[in-house]
Amino acid sequence: MKGKICGTGAYVPQNRMDNDQIATFVDTNDEWIKERTGVEARHIAGTEETTVSMAVMAGKRALANAGITAEEIDLLIVSTTSSNLILPCTACEVQKELGANRATCFDLSAACTGFLLAYNTALAYLNSGVYHTALLIGSECLSNLMDWKDRGTCILFGDGAGAVVLKGTDGDMYFPVTHSDGTKGEALTCKSRHDWSNLYDDSGASAMQDQMHRIGMDGQAVFRFAVKRVPEIIGEVLTQNHMSKEDIALYVLHQANKRIVEAVAKRLDEPIEKFPMNLQEYGNTSSASIPILLDDLHQSGKLHEGDKLVLAGFGAGLTWGAVIVEW
Ligand code: COA
């Protein structure tokens, strides 16, 4: 059984923050951000927008695009690291709003590799015949986790959601390749409210409060990791599936940084035109970036029946992975 993406959808907040706006509250400038990252703007959730509400919008659009109803979904996975609630999970909240009452729902947390792992998880279920139609959503409200005083991180990220409908079809599935290295986890962290251990000092005061819920990153370590591991894993997924670079129409990479994408293209010796990007407009939306880009490509007619794509994700954990998708 093969997975077939039969619908895409995306939602980004209307509120657009360009680099000049960021430069009004941290010491940075448009030229530096564009040159080092490729990012020109990011979209930031308004007060009424949440990880759930963005996921619902993207999910609705993907269902409409696939031409199916919410009742047809039997598996609903939301990939997120920025859910607004601990309980219930985001996927159940989305189920409620969509009316996907037959679906089994759960969240998956693997940061920027999360959507790829949600895709693989669904593929395994479809392949084994447990479920038949999956709605996969990556939704992130990273602005809630940002240290807006840290120019090393706040310039990079944005909010948004992307979704795909995945169905099982006849044929052999392409084997995904994924890796994790927990020993390098300190490179990209967000100390969360689950970390009660250091929360209170002897007086009972909330000593950690200021550092909590904020993304911290060793930018150069993450950069080095990405430009080494992503080309490697793309090579691995091609070998594993007995394919070559010539078989691939497009590489849909997690949208972290233009220089990372360019370095991957160079190491693979592939033309940059095969690496579509939209990070200039949305920044890094973590697990939402791949499905938002897929939706952009689909809506603009850049994906054709039978095209083979490589999706590749990488990020906190550290985690990274690649999978081949036939359009
Ligand atoms: N504006 C202006 N100057 C900045 C700045 C900003 N937003 N952020 C950092 N700088 C400064 C630094 O303070 C440093 O100044 P110094 O030389 O006086 O000390 C200088 O720019 C270089 O900093 P450095 O951290 O070496 O820059 P860099 O070229 O590595 O770029 C990142 C920083 C974060 C853009 C880059 O490391 C990166 O993109 N890493 C990957 C991050 C990522 O993608 N994470 C998510 C993965 S899922």
Side-chain angles (χ1 to χ4, degrees):
M1 185 69 73
K2 241 187 338 201
K4 173 93 180 151
I5 294 179
C6 50
T8 64
Y11 177 84
V12 291
Q14 280 217 326
N15 177 22
R16 180 179 190 271
M17 184 190 284
D18 67 19
N19 292 342
D20 288 336
Q21 283 170 276
I22 287 221
T24 63
F25 55 84
V26 284
D27 182 13
T28 189
N29 58 74
D30 178 51
E31 196 189 348
W32 192 97
I33 301 174
K34 274 203 296 227
E35 189 191 310
R36 302 286 178 116
T37 72
V39 176
E40 294 170 20
R42 68 288 296 144
H43 292 241
I44 303 296
T47 46
E48 301 297 309
E49 286 165 317
T50 64
T51 305
V52 170
S53 74
M54 293 190 289
V56 168
M57 289 303 293
K60 275 186 184 165
R61 288 172 180 173
L63 291 174
N65 185 245
I68 66 168
T69 63
E71 288 82 14
E72 290 174 66
I73 298 294
D74 49 20
L75 175 65
L76 198 172
I77 308 178
V78 176
S79 165
T80 184
T81 39
S82 50
S83 58
N84 30 317
L85 299 172
I86 295 176
L87 296 173
C89 69
T90 303
C92 283
E93 290 288 285
V94 173
Q95 173 192 35
K96 182 174 69 182
E97 297 300 322
L98 294 180
N101 40 40
R102 287 182 50 245
T104 293
C105 305
F106 59 90
D107 289 1
L108 189 151
S109 167
C112 305
T113 318
F115 181 79
L116 197 101
L117 290 171
Y119 181 91
N120 292 348
T121 304
L123 198 59
Y125 274 124
L126 297 180
N127 196 47
S128 62
V130 176
Y131 302 116
H132 305 283
T133 307
L135 176 61
L136 311 176
I137 305 176
S139 184
E140 302 285 4
C141 198
L142 297 170
S143 56
N144 288 338
L145 306 177
M146 230 18 76
D147 178 351
W148 288 103
K149 295 191 200 97
D150 176 12
R151 65 180 182 172
T153 52
C154 75
I155 57 157
L156 296 172
F157 296 95
D159 298 335
V164 306
V165 174
L166 186 68
K167 280 192 174 193
T169 55
D170 288 341
D172 292 334
M173 83 176 221
Y174 294 106
F175 262 84
V177 180
T178 50
H179 296 295
S180 308
D181 180 0
T183 68
K184 306 265 174 27
E186 282 303 310
L188 185 45
T189 60
C190 183
K191 308 289 181 189
S192 89
R193 64 174 81 81
H194 301 293
D195 182 9
W196 300 111
S197 54
N198 294 317
L199 188 52
Y200 296 104
D201 63 20
D202 292 341
S203 68
S206 171
M208 288 278 290
Q209 205 75 349
D210 282 351
Q211 299 136 35
M212 285 172 57
H213 319 306
R214 299 285 173 258
I215 288 177
M217 183 178 69
D218 177 345
Q220 290 191 3
V222 175
F223 192 94
R224 283 194 302 273
F225 147 72
V227 300
K228 182 171 184 334
R229 295 303 185 189
V230 178
E232 266 176 22
I233 206 160
I234 291 175
E236 264 185 79
V237 83
L238 292 175
T239 306
Q240 178 85 35
N241 292 285
H242 312 290
M243 293 171 79
S244 66
K245 292 183 296 183
E246 290 67 39
D247 297 315
I248 302 304
L250 293 174
Y251 297 88
V252 180
L253 267 50
H254 165 51
Q255 299 288 289
N257 182 318
K258 183 178 172 214
R259 287 193 297 139
I260 292 177
V261 179
E262 287 169 347
V264 172
K266 197 165 170 212
R267 287 200 185 191
L268 288 172
D269 195 21
E270 283 279 72
I272 192 67
E273 291 71 28
K274 286 175 83 172
F275 293 76
M277 283 183 251
N278 61 5
L279 60 89
Q280 48 284 13
E281 180 59 28
Y282 304 127
N284 177 345
T285 56
S286 191
S287 68
S289 86
I290 290 177
I292 291 176
L293 181 55
L294 275 177
D295 185 58
D296 270 4
L297 294 168
H298 183 38
Q299 300 301 338
S300 56
K302 296 199 176 108
L303 302 176
H304 309 102
E305 185 80 24
D307 275 356
K308 294 184 184 66
L309 319 175
V310 171
L311 312 188
F314 54 93
L318 298 172
T319 55
W320 63 109
V323 66
I324 291 164
V325 166
E326 192 172 318
W327 200 254

